[in-house]
């Protein structure tokens, strides 16, 4: 099997699995218990917190463990909204290409009287900082821009946005689920106030993540109960998961340069080869993108059919994001970069990992153009394009 859906989730690293096993077997204590088994759990929990903090240049007491990226996104946004209400500031700026964990949380806030500006992105999928600056109002309480996009891999100008928010005294939250473990991140240098991460996007386990909250930034608890996580997130800590996340992140940071060097080569090889398919286009900036991300549109086909045929060839890929696949709406990200509906439907996302090999890439380069050609032969839309009854847009 060739797994090219690493933006959806990643395979757990063997070292991560090994590090976790102890916490299912001997060291199963509850970190809140006073006996030694519990106290050892507590110690491990704090070691993991320190490791995670170090990976992004934060302090350990600025790291809150959660169940993953979605929960961290919800907690960050709802915390600042809560503060905004108290200060009578109800304007939030975000982008049209955020993950649904961000967009749906903001839609809920709109129903609650918040005013949300959804910024367009440029055709290359990058936010225009000048437009962001213009959108700031007197009552803007939060700027929420993702670090790197999960569909098209574009990397946003986080340093510039952080600097701008710092100058204006506005809280800056970034969903960095696709960036942590993949790009160097220094929350201090980048002036980030809040940042979310998720272990299963960097070869850690599913169901565990973290929220970085800069000291002094208010944080509101979504889950009431015990006093865990400094009273900001009740519930017995998922110690095995947390140790897994810390192990995975430490390893990912160590391997980052080497892995990215390899992936950039494979990425650019894939893009170059697949763009030879007539009437195709790359989605997102060619340079300012994650090393593992390839996302293309092929005119005249359905991405879903392409996926199913790739699956028959043993290749796992994606079209749009995992959350939108299965529904008929094309990806909101592809629409935001200006792809017309029918073109957005013909998209293919291939996301690699450190486990991807050159042979995997060569197979994809052989198989994809053939499948596209086959699907176009059967496509009524392609027929219209060929006959000139419909105009090519790519
Ligand atoms: C995967 C992902 C999430 C959700 O993380 P979960 O841990 O699966 O809840 C949020 N944002 C982005 C950008 C993602 O890629």
């Amino acid at each position: 099997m060739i797994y090219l859906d690493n933006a959806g989730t990643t395979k757990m690293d063997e070292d991560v699995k090994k590090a976790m096993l102890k916490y299912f077997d001997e060291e199963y204590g509850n970190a809140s218990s006073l006996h030694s088994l519990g106290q050892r759990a507590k110690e491990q929990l704090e070691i993991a917190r320190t490791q995670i903090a170090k990976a992004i240049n934060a302090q350990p007491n600025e790291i809150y463990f959660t169940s993953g990226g979605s929960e961290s996104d919800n907690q960050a946004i709802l915390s600042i909204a809560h503060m905004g209400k108290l200060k009578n500031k109800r304007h939030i700026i975000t982008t049209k290409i955020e993950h649904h964990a961000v967009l749906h949380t903001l839609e809920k806030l709109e129903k609650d009287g918040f005013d949300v500006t959804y910024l367009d992105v440029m055709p290359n999928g990058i936010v225009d900082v000048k437009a962001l600056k213009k959108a700031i109002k007197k009552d803007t309480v939060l700027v929420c821009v993702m670090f790197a996009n999960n569909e098209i891999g574009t990397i946003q100008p986080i340093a510039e946005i952080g600097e701008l928010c710092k100058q204006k005294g506005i809280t800056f939250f970034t969903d960095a689920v696709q960036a942590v473990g993949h790009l160097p991140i220094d929350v201090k240098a980048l002036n980030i106030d809040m940042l979310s991460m998720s272990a299963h996007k960097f070869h850690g386990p599913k169901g565990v993540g973290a929220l970085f909250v800069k000291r002094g930034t208010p944080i509101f608890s979504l889950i009431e109960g015990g006093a865990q996580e400094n009273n900001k997130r009740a519930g017995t800590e998922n110690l095995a998961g947390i140790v897994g996340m810390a192990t995975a992140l430490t390893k990912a940071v160590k391997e980052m340069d080497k892995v990215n060097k390899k992936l950039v080569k494979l990425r650019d090889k894939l893009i170059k080869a697949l763009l030879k398919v007539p009437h195709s286009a790359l989605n997102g900036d060619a340079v300012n993108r994650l090393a593992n991300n390839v996302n293309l549109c092929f005119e005249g086909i359905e991405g879903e059919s392409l996926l199913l045929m790739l699956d028959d060839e043993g290749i796992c890929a994606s079209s749009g994001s995992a959350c939108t696949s299965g529904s008929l709406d094309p990806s909101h990200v592809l629409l935001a970069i200006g792809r017309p509906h029918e073109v957005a439907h013909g998209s293919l996302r291939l996301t690699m990992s450190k486990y991807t090999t050159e042979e995997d890439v060569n197979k994809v380069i052989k198989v994809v153009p053939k499948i596209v050609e086959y699907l176009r032969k059967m496509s009524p839309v392609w027929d219209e394009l060929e006959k000139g009854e419909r105009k090519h847009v790519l």
Side-chain angles (χ1 to χ4, degrees), residues 137-341:
K137 299 184 192 176
K138 273 205 184 68
D139 68 336
T140 305
V141 68
L142 172 67
V143 166
C144 172
V145 177
M146 72 199 316
F147 208 115
N149 185 268
N150 48 302
E151 290 189 41
I152 57 175
T154 46
I155 302 166
Q156 301 301 331
I158 295 300
E160 278 177 75
I161 298 171
E163 182 62 36
L164 176 64
C165 290
K166 185 181 150 192
Q167 278 172 20
K168 303 276 180 186
I170 301 167
T171 302
F172 174 36
F173 162 60
T174 185
D175 171 344
V177 173
Q178 290 291 333
V180 172
H182 300 272
L183 294 171
I185 297 180
D186 179 330
V187 290
K188 287 201 182 81
L190 295 168
N191 290 301
I192 294 167
D193 297 311
M194 298 176 122
L195 169 148
S196 54
M197 69 173 82
S198 177
H200 75 102
K201 301 292 176 77
F202 49 81
H203 305 290
K206 291 169 185 61
V208 59
L211 177 64
F212 155 77
V213 182
K214 189 180 158 185
R215 250 187 71 196
T217 305
I219 161 173
F220 175 88
S221 177
L222 302 183
I223 299 171
E224 300 306 328
Q228 291 92 351
E229 297 302 298
N230 206 13
N231 272 314
K232 302 304 180 195
R233 208 275 187 177
T236 302
E237 300 87 348
N238 170 11
L239 186 58
I242 290 166
V243 167
M245 175 163 63
T247 308
L249 185 53
T250 306
K251 189 165 177 183
V253 168
K254 208 169 122 204
E255 293 178 333
M256 191 183 289
D257 282 348
K258 207 176 114 211
V259 171
N260 280 347
K261 265 203 193 96
K262 165 187 131 169
L263 289 180
V264 163
K265 278 198 201 116
L266 294 180
R267 178 194 73 187
D268 293 344
K269 180 176 181 177
L270 258 177
I271 291 174
K272 195 172 158 211
L274 295 181
L275 282 179
K276 289 199 179 121
V277 173
H279 304 286
S280 62
L282 177 69
N283 295 312
D285 198 83
V287 178
N288 258 323
R289 74 188 296 135
L290 292 169
N292 75 342
N293 179 293
V294 174
N295 190 316
L296 299 146
C297 277
F298 301 103
E299 225 179 342
I301 64 156
E302 287 291 335
E304 311 271 305
S305 318
L306 177 54
L307 283 195
L308 294 178
M309 294 194 66
L310 282 172
D311 195 34
D312 285 341
E313 296 282 339
I315 300 169
C316 303
S318 161
S319 176
S321 69
C323 318
T324 36
S325 49
S327 84
L328 284 174
D329 294 335
S331 145
H332 65 286
V333 176
L334 297 179
L335 296 180
I337 61 168
R339 298 288 181 221
H341 270 246

Side-chain angles (χ1 to χ4, degrees), residues 77-78 81 92 104-114:
I77 294 166
L78 295 173
I92 296 172
H104 291 167
T105 306
L106 291 171
E107 281 162 23
K108 217 161 76 176
L109 285 174
E110 280 183 293
K111 292 196 185 108
D112 197 24
F114 277 81

